[in-house]
Amino acid sequence: MKYYSHSDSVSWLEEYKARHNAGLEAQRIVASFSKRFFSEHVPCDGFSDIETLGCPSHFFEDELMCILNMEGRKGLTWKYYAKKILYFLRQQNILKNLKEYLQRPTERQSFLEGAVLIDQYCNPLSDICLKSVQAQVDDITDKVRKVLRTKNPRHPSLASKAGEVLVPEVELQRQVLDAMNCVLYEQLKYKGNELDYYNSLNSYIHQVLIRRTGIPISLSVLYLTIARQLGVKLEPVNFPSHFLLRWCQGKEGSTDIFDYTYIDAFGKGKQLTVKECEYLIGHHVTEEFYGVVTSKEVLQRMVGNLLNLGKRESTDQSYQLLRDSLDLYLAMYPDNVQHLMLQARLYFHLGIWPEKVLDILQHIQALDPSQHGAVGYLVQHTLEHIERRKEELGPEVKHRSDEKHKEVCFSIGLIMKHKRYGYNCVIYGWDPACMMGHEWIRNMNVHSLPHGPHQPFYNVLVEDGSCRYAAQENLEYNSEPREIPHPDIGRYFSEFTGLHYLANTELEIRYPEDLELTRATVQKIYSSGKE
């Protein structure tokens, strides 16, 4: 009902028809994605028909949610592509909101709202909204007021409109900060996450509120927001290696760094002098690093942290965090050559959206002609990639009846266990012998195996979210088959039966004789009648 006004005269029959047609359109598009994008990542231009929808977007989203919420272990491929489409739609909407936020006057750019926008963009399928986050912050603020009331019942921050008027005296401001430290760090047990500092959850404000831990910048945004709601103006300081806040002790707007006390929200709200700030990071810094920064610069640092984490994540083979944080950075700084080049290299590495790579490279060349060497190299190889794609004759079909495949023992959809490493996995492809290059074979020490590279190798989705290439002699049937929680499971399989996975149409085309063998194998191994 949030899409309708109570004062409007609505034709509910017409609304129902619109919802019904949106549902049919969503189902048609989702069904088409498997055939169109099975052999590659869904490129952003793959969503072009969604951008020109002839139906209300909230009806379209509603149908996607219905697909995602289908009960049971069926419809895995539909769920996989519905999730990707919903991810795209929500990110596009959040990006529009971010650009609108950045165009506002600085005084109307809330630090909390900026943090929520970053959180939403990186987690578009989570239920995150500014209203909910603000309500949680308000709840903490109310707790601070209760503590403050016991210390000073007549404190100006206890007024209902506190926050609109700044608390004038330094001593009264100190009482607010003391009450904040009591609530945040003693009562609610917030703390800096020293043990798992490089976890991306530390950067997402909704997770900071749930887990009560974070990194300096995320905890600083929370601390600053609460202080301002209580009439104490704290300002963000882009201090190297450790984000801080500053609190003016002298004349407002002073440019003397010694007129400020610096607050470490990561360190339980500890108040620091200039010299103590340098002790914190272990070296001297110039005065410019003690200056206040804008909300856009705060967001830049938050996104920069996520970019660095995205580069570190080796298990995420789609580099989703790196892609999302690059999108955010380039939304703020669209002409940054360094990050444009990183985006072009990333798409090139993943083999996705070559036409977009060419657009980015053209933009880089216009901005900085000195990049012509790197640009030329990528342009040449991207054009070769486009030509190879045009020459592809279709999917390679592997028949088990072929003589060269007679040594292949396992089939698509079987739940396996690795004999050496113990991980659970499901087979989604196989080769009669190792098809990797000499360097991979050497690095993986394949020649130390009794049968070396001259045995069947299997593409497997692993329960930890990785994709691996395993030798036949290292795999065995899993005595207790279970679902494999891999993000790409729906790309290859339509259903989990409880004992094995059923290949979807596109995978079955490539391995047409595997399904019957998988069923026969399962019947033979698990004869307890579960299936």
Side-chain angles (χ1 to χ4, degrees):
M1 290 304 296
K2 67 181 178 180
Y3 297 104
Y4 302 94
S5 168
H6 292 290
S7 60
D8 289 346
S9 176
V10 179
S11 170
W12 294 110
L13 178 59
E14 291 306 312
E15 290 299 299
Y16 172 79
K17 287 179 181 177
R19 169 65 182 84
H20 178 72
N21 290 333
L24 295 177
E25 181 70 358
Q27 291 176 29
R28 181 191 67 78
I29 290 174
V30 170
S32 74
F33 264 53
S34 181
K35 184 166 185 167
R36 291 160 61 194
F37 304 119
F38 176 82
S39 58
E40 60 180 338
H41 290 282
V42 181
C44 292
D45 58 345
F47 298 106
S48 56
D49 46 357
I50 297 167
E51 292 178 304
T52 55
L53 282 174
C55 61
S57 61
H58 62 279
F59 282 162
F60 190 85
E61 275 202 27
D62 191 53
E63 183 63 29
L64 295 176
M65 288 303 300
C66 286
I67 292 171
L68 287 172
N69 292 329
M70 286 191 315
E71 291 184 16
R73 299 156 168 177
K74 297 184 179 181
L76 299 181
T77 299
W78 274 49
K79 289 177 182 177
Y80 175 78
Y81 288 107
K83 187 175 181 179
K84 286 198 172 294
I85 295 168
L86 190 60
Y87 201 99
F88 170 80
L89 283 174
R90 290 190 175 174
Q91 280 196 328
Q92 292 304 297
N93 194 40
I94 296 159
L95 216 51
K96 286 178 190 172
N97 294 339
L98 175 63
K99 289 175 180 176
E100 183 274 324
Y101 168 91
L102 293 169
Q103 288 170 358
R104 290 184 214 157
T106 306
E107 64 273 11
R108 290 185 52 232
Q109 291 178 344
S110 147
F111 293 100
L112 186 67
E113 183 179 357
V116 168
L117 285 166
I118 290 174
D119 192 348
Q120 288 175 326
Y121 193 82
C122 295
N123 303 284
L125 301 182
S126 299
D127 187 17
I128 305 161
C129 69
L130 178 60
K131 186 177 179 181
S132 171
V133 171
Q134 184 65 63
Q136 293 175 72
V137 174
D138 290 344
D139 185 54
I140 298 172
T141 306
D142 287 340
K143 287 181 169 65
V144 175
R145 284 198 181 98
K146 287 180 182 176
V147 171
L148 196 55
R149 187 173 285 111
T150 64
K151 306 290 184 184
N152 183 353
R154 302 179 68 180
H155 196 286
S157 292
L158 300 176
S160 58
K161 295 291 184 182
E164 294 181 9
V165 180
L166 292 177
V167 174
E169 298 173 25
V170 170
E171 183 52 39
L172 291 173
Q173 293 177 16
R174 188 183 306 280
Q175 291 174 12
V176 171
L177 299 181
D178 287 346
M180 282 177 55
N181 291 344
C182 174
V183 170
L184 280 171
Y185 304 112
E186 294 177 29
Q187 292 184 10
L188 299 179
K189 306 297 183 187
Y190 274 80
K191 62 181 179 180
N193 196 345
E194 296 177 346
L195 296 177
D196 194 14
Y197 191 89
Y198 296 104
N199 188 328
S200 60
L201 297 182
N202 295 324
S203 294
Y204 303 139
I205 195 68
H206 87 283
Q207 288 289 349
V208 171
L209 290 164
I210 291 169
R211 300 161 72 238
R212 301 186 182 184
T213 189
I215 52 176
I217 193 165
S218 57
L219 290 169
S220 291
V221 167
L222 176 61
Y223 197 99
L224 175 150
T225 302
I226 295 168
R228 290 194 172 189
Q229 288 185 187
L230 292 166
V232 178
K233 184 181 179 182
L234 300 182
E235 298 172 302
V237 177
N238 213 1
F239 203 67
S241 306
H242 198 106
F243 199 86
L244 296 171
L245 300 169
R246 74 178 193 181
W247 169 33
C248 186
Q249 307 284 288
K251 185 179 178 183
E252 186 177 350
S254 171
T255 56
D256 186 347
I257 64 172
F258 294 97
D259 280 344
Y260 293 87
T261 291
Y262 299 87
I263 295 174
D264 180 12
F266 186 82
K268 298 188 176 181
K270 186 176 180 182
Q271 295 172 11
L272 309 169
T273 63
V274 169
K275 188 57 69 178
E276 287 171 330
C277 290
E278 294 180 351
Y279 288 150
L280 188 67
I281 60 171
H283 60 85
H284 173 73
V285 296
T286 55
E287 288 194 6
E288 64 183 295
F289 291 104
Y290 291 92
V292 67
V293 289
T294 65
S295 51
K296 185 177 180 180
E297 289 169 315
V298 172
L299 296 196
Q300 178 188 355
R301 180 144 169 182
M302 294 183 89
V303 171
N305 288 338
L306 290 169
L307 263 170
N308 291 330
L309 292 178
K311 293 174 187 176
R312 292 166 64 106
E313 287 193 353
S314 57
T315 56
D316 179 12
Q317 296 181 343
S318 68
Y319 292 93
Q320 192 63 58
L321 179 58
L322 182 56
R323 290 160 67 182
D324 290 345
S325 47
L326 272 172
D327 288 345
L328 288 167
Y329 198 98
L330 291 169
M332 293 188 283
Y333 302 97
D335 295 334
N336 185 288
V337 170
Q338 178 188 352
H339 289 86
L340 284 167
M341 183 62 81
L342 178 57
Q343 188 176 57
R345 290 183 186 280
L346 178 61
Y347 285 153
F348 177 77
H349 168 75
L350 293 172
I352 60 174
W353 208 10
E355 294 79 10
K356 176 65 175 176
V357 173
L358 294 178
D359 288 344
I360 297 170
L361 293 171
Q362 186 177 10
H363 186 41
I364 292 171
Q365 187 63 38
L367 291 169
D368 184 3
S370 69
Q371 298 285 334
H372 64 88
V375 167
Y377 174 85
L378 285 173
V379 166
Q380 177 188 341
H381 287 274
T382 301
L383 290 172
E384 289 173 2
H385 173 79
I386 292 172
E387 286 304 311
R388 283 196 303 272
R389 198 170 62 174
K390 288 178 182 176
E391 294 169 5
E392 287 176 359
L393 300 174
E396 179 189 2
V397 178
K398 295 181 179 179
H399 293 279
R400 302 191 72 89
S401 51
D402 286 359
E403 180 64 23
K404 62 182 178 181
H405 297 153
K406 65 179 182 179
E407 300 298 326
V408 179
C409 295
F410 308 132
S411 52
I412 302 297
L414 288 176
I415 311 294
M416 310 298 290
K417 196 175 191 73
H418 197 279
K419 293 178 182 177
R420 184 175 177 186
Y421 299 119
Y423 61 71
N424 299 306
C425 59
V426 57
I427 296 171
Y428 71 96
W430 50 257
D431 296 309
C434 183
M435 302 298 287
M436 301 299 275
H438 294 298
E439 186 177 350
W440 186 90
I441 290 172
R442 185 176 64 252
N443 290 341
M444 300 304 291
N445 206 19
V446 172
H447 285 292
S448 68
L449 295 171
H451 298 287
H454 308 296
Q455 61 176 309
F457 270 69
Y458 297 84
N459 302 101
V460 294
L461 300 177
V462 184
E463 58 191 343
D464 65 2
S466 64
C467 304
R468 304 192 191 184
Y469 196 49
Q472 180 164 282
E473 67 183 81
N474 279 338
L475 294 176
E476 62 184 355
Y477 297 119
N478 196 316
S479 59
E480 296 180 354
R482 65 188 77 170
E483 283 188 87
I484 303 297
H486 193 286
D488 281 347
I489 203 80
R491 183 175 178 181
Y492 304 102
F493 302 103
S494 60
E495 180 183 345
F496 180 63
T497 67
L499 295 174
H500 66 95
Y501 280 93
L502 293 178
N504 62 22
T505 303
E506 294 305 312
L507 190 61
E508 197 173 348
I509 288 170
R510 290 156 174 78
Y511 298 91
E513 297 166 7
D514 272 44
L515 179 58
E516 288 307 315
L517 180 60
T518 297
R519 283 175 171 156
T521 303
V522 167
Q523 189 69 30
K524 181 179 177 182
I525 299 170
Y526 313 111
S527 55
S528 58
K530 291 180 185 175
E531 190 172 51

